[in-house]
Amino acid sequence: MIQCNIQACAEICQPALEKTNKDGKKFLTFTVKIPIKGKDNSFSDLFLSVSTNGDYSQIGKYPVGRRVSLKGKMVPRKYKGLIYYNVHTEGDVLTAAPGNALFISGTLDFKGKTGKKIQQLSDKKNRPYQAFSAFSTNKTGDDAEFIWVHFMNFHLTEANKVSEEQSVAITGDLHFNAYRKDINMDCIVKSIGPWVWNKSTENENK
């Protein structure tokens, strides 16, 4: 499971559409983009699929090219190898000034399993920390897909060290990075502990 609380300033790149949920309530969806800078100084666009309260009469508030400020819950989902970042807004989507910088920030709540490589590192002051990747699984029908997140734990103790292929629950600060046009999630760990898988948590990811 991966859930994020985010705030962002982004540019609308696909027009708003009216949709109806399973309870018959109307809402609007549109797509926004945010440029993400890579370590090699290249940029790739992060696309967010945004859902917000509203109906057809309010579509004019969301023209292509407009910059908007929003906050809400983001749930990444992977389908046929592609990750889709779905955002359900909380509060109003506000028009941002044309010169406002585009950004995304937030926190991440992760439950999954570490990979086979745990790096034991030290910072410039010789303080130890761990860097590792971990994956969370989501299912579409019978097909399982894996979303990887890179973590850095700078507050390392004997109690919160992780090992290879360990089930973990992690919260921390969310960051995005770009590498060769691929966009990845990073997390600076705030808290970390063991996680026990059960059937109900699997159902949360379906």
Side-chain angles (χ1 to χ4, degrees):
M1 182 205 76
I2 301 175
Q3 292 185 349
C4 309
N5 290 308
I6 63 105
Q7 56 185 11
C9 180
E11 181 180 323
I12 297 174
C13 59
Q14 290 186 8
L17 298 172
E18 182 189 79
K19 294 186 178 181
T20 305
N21 66 18
K22 61 183 179 181
D23 298 320
K25 183 179 179 180
K26 296 183 184 300
F27 65 99
L28 296 178
T29 67
F30 54 91
T31 302
V32 299
K33 65 179 180 180
I34 303 164
I36 303 298
K37 187 177 181 179
K39 293 180 180 179
D40 60 355
N41 291 322
S42 64
F43 284 88
S44 294
D45 284 331
L46 170 67
F47 295 95
L48 308 179
S49 178
V50 179
S51 300
T52 191
N53 293 332
D55 57 28
Y56 184 82
S57 66
Q58 297 169 295
I59 281 179
K61 294 169 57 177
Y62 308 110
V64 171
R66 174 167 291 178
R67 294 191 174 193
V68 292
S69 297
L70 58 91
K71 63 180 180 178
K73 179 176 288 187
M74 183 182 77
V75 179
R77 299 283 296 178
K78 196 170 186 179
Y79 180 66
K80 293 186 177 180
L82 297 176
I83 300 178
Y84 297 87
Y85 298 95
N86 303 307
V87 178
H88 298 274
T89 64
E90 298 173 355
D92 295 332
V93 177
L94 303 175
T95 299
N100 279 18
L102 303 178
F103 76 93
I104 182 169
S105 63
T107 58
L108 178 143
D109 182 9
F110 174 94
K111 293 180 176 69
K113 192 173 185 179
T114 60
K116 295 182 178 181
K117 183 178 181 181
I118 309 295
Q119 292 181 286
Q120 313 292 339
L121 303 170
S122 297
D123 65 15
K124 293 180 179 179
K125 295 184 178 180
N126 206 34
R127 294 173 296 196
Y129 69 95
Q130 284 186 322
F132 59 93
S133 292
F135 67 89
S136 180
T137 308
N138 67 245
K139 279 191 171 182
T140 303
D142 294 328
D143 297 327
E145 303 258 15
F146 306 101
I147 300 176
W148 288 86
V149 180
H150 182 68
F151 294 92
M152 288 176 286
N153 182 9
F154 292 109
H155 303 287
L156 193 64
T157 66
E158 288 298 322
N160 68 18
K161 283 184 177 180
V162 300
S163 56
E164 298 175 5
E165 299 183 291
Q166 177 185 350
S167 294
V168 289
I170 302 173
T171 60
D173 294 325
L174 172 69
H175 301 273
F176 284 91
N177 73 78
Y179 180 69
R180 294 181 179 176
K181 297 187 177 180
D182 291 329
I183 292 178
N184 304 294
M185 287 183 285
D186 290 343
C187 179
I188 306 299
V189 174
K190 285 188 173 180
S191 68
I192 185 169
W195 171 62
V196 179
W197 177 90
N198 59 54
K199 188 68 175 179
S200 63
T201 55
E202 181 187 65
N203 289 337
E204 288 175 4
N205 290 331
K206 289 185 177 181

